[in-house]
Amino acid sequence: MWAHSMTVQDYQDLIDRGWRRSGRYVYKPVMNQTCCPQYTIRCRSLQFQPSKSHKKVLKKMLKFLAKGEISKGNCEDEPMEPSMEDAVAGDMALINKLDLQCDLNLQESLEREVKKKGKSTKKEESNEFIQSQDKNEELGSGEPSHAVDVHTAPKPGKGADLSKPPCRKAKEIRKERKRLKLMQQSPAGGPEGFQAPREPKTKPNQPKSLEELIFESLPEDASHKLEVRLVPVSFEDPEFKSSLSQSFSLYVKYQMAIHQDPPEECGKTEFTGFLCTSPLEPENPPNGPDCGYGSFHQQYWLDGKIIAVGVIDILPYCVSSVYLYYDPDYSFLSLGVYSALREIAFTRQLHEKASQLSYYYMGFYIHSCPKMRYKGHYRPSDLLCPETYVWVPIEQCLPSLENSKYCRFNQDPEAADEGRSRDPDRLQVLYKKAILPYGVFKQQQREPGEEAAVLQYASLVGQACSERMLLFRN
């Protein structure tokens, strides 16, 4: 449907029934008929904890800003999508395998450090091992080294080296190294003289919050400066108008490079209609966030130029991500992932003023398309049941989605859509500049198919929205 004008509460209720907007065009997939069912997904931002791959992206950005370092590696080509090694997506068994591989790589790197520092040995003897040259010698991590037995690899075809201990988790290795460091610092220099510190200044293994990772302080002589600006989508706003030309050029560059769109499909009209117009009426109630509710562009300015724009809607209960476009020259910064993490942190910031606003909506999750599963990495998250419109944790939905593209997530067979249309006659119609209930309107109309269309609209938007919104009839 085409939305000429809409309140933020109406749109909040619509997206909680599976609707989404593109400019003023508001649409809802017919879930049990489409080839690729699209389930509305939201992240519970207050409980969100960044994963290892998320932390890597944030550290990569900090290194680039501080020292200008450019990390090599895969870059995402979809908003919020992690690099390919992390996109094995949704399958926890495979993710565990990746974690194990990281542990193996860490142990191998430790062994290489020891080999560099240790005494030279005869390479021909397969049963020899390398010992560290000196207990006071330091490894690359800055902690004292200790005697480590590293057996040489078995000959090809001989299988695993059974004399080698099983691989340990990285956490265990770090604990062991810390314990040995404290042992060397103690007066006795051994287990008998070892004493743990009485009162550690900080809690051990306390993970940094998302905000601490994002807003970590930079040196005064940092190589780059990144600024994020929130600009309302309004041609009357001076900041929006002054940055429009640069924003449009960035959009064209992104669409052509990332999505291979031809130039004729990236015109000013398409850009304006898609990302610079919104049916949402801005609101600024006293109990709402300082920026108010409505549609916004979140602009990422690097050293005075825009390198990314996140289009978002700020609604009564959520921040809803509409679209992201960025400069392909900065793909190495994983701007899709980085912007999603910034938007989650922004949601948490808005929650401090508007307590009801606590969710981050990421659009649609498409399990039947592997490339679109990346949104399931932002956890804890929920999927919307397409029949009863209740939220179900994604972990409970994935087994069903493995067996069938279309699923009813609500396990209660008796449960129904609580917001369904119960009395279509109360639906509000705008006809000939007059507002009247559908019960009155239908007595004046005898158009074939009119009633079926109106009843379908009522069933899709629900009773509450059908009584608040005006359905235009001509």
Side-chain angles (χ1 to χ4, degrees):
M1 60 185 177
W2 189 262
H4 298 270
S5 178
M6 187 178 287
T7 67
V8 289
Q9 185 61 59
D10 284 343
Y11 186 56
Q12 175 73 68
D13 290 348
L14 285 178
I15 64 174
D16 284 336
R17 293 184 64 84
W19 291 79
R20 295 291 293 174
R21 79 169 185 90
S22 174
R24 295 184 186 273
Y25 181 66
V26 187
Y27 61 98
K28 183 184 189 305
V30 184
M31 296 289 282
N32 58 354
Q33 296 180 29
T34 180
C35 62
C36 296
Q38 301 147 65
Y39 300 93
T40 303
I41 183 171
R42 72 177 186 185
C43 172
R44 282 172 260 150
S45 68
L46 303 186
Q47 292 82 40
F48 174 79
Q49 288 293 335
S51 67
K52 287 182 181 178
S53 61
H54 296 152
K55 291 177 182 177
K56 285 180 183 178
V57 169
L58 295 175
K59 288 177 182 177
K60 181 165 57 176
M61 175 63 82
L62 287 171
K63 285 182 180 179
F64 173 73
L65 296 176
K67 302 177 183 178
E69 291 183 11
I70 298 177
S71 302
K72 295 181 179 179
N74 296 330
C75 303
E76 90 277 26
D77 56 6
E78 287 295 333
M80 296 189 289
E81 185 177 2
S83 56
M84 285 306 295
E85 62 266 21
D86 297 317
V88 207
D91 188 337
M92 295 311 294
L94 286 174
I95 291 173
N96 289 335
K97 287 181 183 178
L98 288 176
D99 288 344
L100 177 60
Q101 186 62 46
C102 289
D103 296 336
L104 292 172
N105 292 340
L106 177 59
Q107 180 142 340
E108 289 171 5
S109 65
L110 285 173
E111 292 172 2
R112 285 196 296 271
E113 289 290 345
V114 176
K115 285 180 182 178
K116 288 179 185 177
K117 301 290 184 179
K119 296 179 179 179
S120 61
T121 59
K122 295 181 180 179
K123 295 181 181 179
E124 299 84 8
E125 297 178 13
S126 62
N127 62 341
E128 286 216 13
F129 58 88
I130 303 171
Q131 291 184 338
S132 60
Q133 189 172 356
D134 183 13
K135 285 189 177 182
N136 294 324
E137 199 170 35
E138 292 194 354
L139 293 172
S141 63
E143 283 129 356
S145 66
H146 54 280
V148 179
D149 292 353
V150 183
H151 294 269
T152 56
K155 294 179 180 179
K158 295 293 184 181
D161 188 352
L162 298 178
S163 63
K164 202 172 182 179
C167 293
R168 296 179 298 165
K169 289 288 184 183
K171 189 176 181 181
E172 295 176 5
I173 295 172
R174 289 195 299 270
K175 282 183 177 179
E176 177 70 11
R177 289 162 63 189
K178 186 175 181 181
R179 186 180 70 83
L180 289 164
K181 180 179 179 180
L182 291 171
M183 283 174 61
Q184 287 203 340
Q185 290 174 350
S186 65
E192 294 80 5
F194 168 71
Q195 288 184 352
R198 294 176 183 175
E199 293 182 5
K201 293 181 181 179
T202 57
K203 293 181 180 179
N205 302 324
Q206 184 73 21
K208 286 186 177 181
S209 69
L210 176 62
E211 288 76 11
E212 288 174 323
L213 290 166
I214 290 175
F215 302 111
E216 189 170 316
S217 59
L218 294 170
E220 292 183 3
D221 59 345
S223 299
H224 301 284
K225 180 185 178 182
L226 179 68
E227 182 184 0
V228 180
R229 302 178 190 172
L230 187 70
V231 182
V233 175
S234 169
F235 289 97
E236 296 177 1
D237 183 84
E239 197 170 355
F240 181 80
K241 285 178 65 177
S242 64
S243 61
L244 189 61
S245 176
Q246 190 179 162
S247 185
F248 170 62
S249 299
L250 179 64
Y251 166 79
V252 174
K253 186 176 182 180
Y254 171 81
Q255 292 295 128
M256 293 178 63
I258 302 299
H259 295 292
Q260 285 78 50
D261 285 357
E264 60 270 18
E265 293 182 10
C266 306
K268 198 74 171 278
T269 303
E270 287 78 10
F271 170 68
T272 303
F274 178 29
L275 300 173
C276 300
T277 55
S278 169
L280 302 185
E281 294 293 334
E283 295 180 24
N284 209 332
N287 60 341
D290 293 335
C291 59
Y293 299 115
S295 299
F296 297 84
H297 280 192
Q298 206 163 35
Q299 301 173 340
Y300 294 78
W301 290 76
L302 181 70
D303 302 333
K305 75 169 185 175
I306 304 175
I307 64 165
V309 176
V311 184
I312 60 173
D313 293 329
I314 301 178
L315 304 174
Y317 307 139
C318 73
V319 169
S320 176
S321 175
V322 178
Y323 199 66
L324 173 84
Y325 54 100
Y326 58 84
D327 190 335
D329 294 343
Y330 293 90
S331 291
F332 61 88
L333 290 173
S334 302
L335 291 171
V337 180
Y338 182 77
S339 65
L341 297 172
R342 289 292 299 243
E343 287 171 7
I344 292 173
F346 181 55
T347 305
R348 287 151 63 136
Q349 177 189 335
L350 296 179
H351 171 78
E352 294 176 5
K353 179 72 187 296
S355 59
Q356 286 185 312
L357 201 165
S358 61
Y359 296 103
Y360 175 59
Y361 282 47
M362 298 175 279
F364 289 133
Y365 173 81
I366 309 175
H367 191 79
S368 54
C369 178
K371 193 178 181 183
M372 295 297 291
R373 294 185 186 181
Y374 62 86
K375 295 180 183 180
H377 290 177
Y378 297 81
R379 298 193 180 186
S381 56
D382 308 304
L383 297 183
L384 186 67
C385 177
E387 295 182 11
T388 62
Y389 302 111
V390 297
W391 294 98
V392 180
I394 192 171
E395 295 84 359
Q396 297 178 25
C397 304
L398 293 179
S400 301
L401 289 171
E402 287 295 330
N403 296 324
S404 174
K405 288 182 179 181
Y406 174 75
C407 299
R408 172 194 167 107
F409 298 136
N410 192 329
Q411 298 300 308
D412 181 2
E414 303 297 322
D417 171 16
E418 294 296 328
R420 66 187 180 277
S421 175
R422 300 171 187 268
D423 187 359
D425 284 352
R426 296 177 61 182
L427 179 151
Q428 297 295 296
V429 174
L430 178 63
Y431 178 64
K432 291 184 177 179
K433 299 183 180 180
I435 299 171
L436 60 161
Y438 178 66
V440 175
F441 170 78
K442 70 180 181 181
Q443 295 174 5
Q444 306 174 12
Q445 290 293 314
R446 293 292 182 268
E447 291 290 332
E450 177 74 20
E451 185 174 10
V454 173
L455 292 179
Q456 183 190 38
Y457 161 82
S459 69
L460 294 174
V461 303
Q463 185 70 34
C465 281
S466 73
E467 292 186 36
R468 293 197 306 256
M469 300 193 306
L470 303 180
L471 176 64
F472 177 69
R473 299 281 92 180
N474 186 3

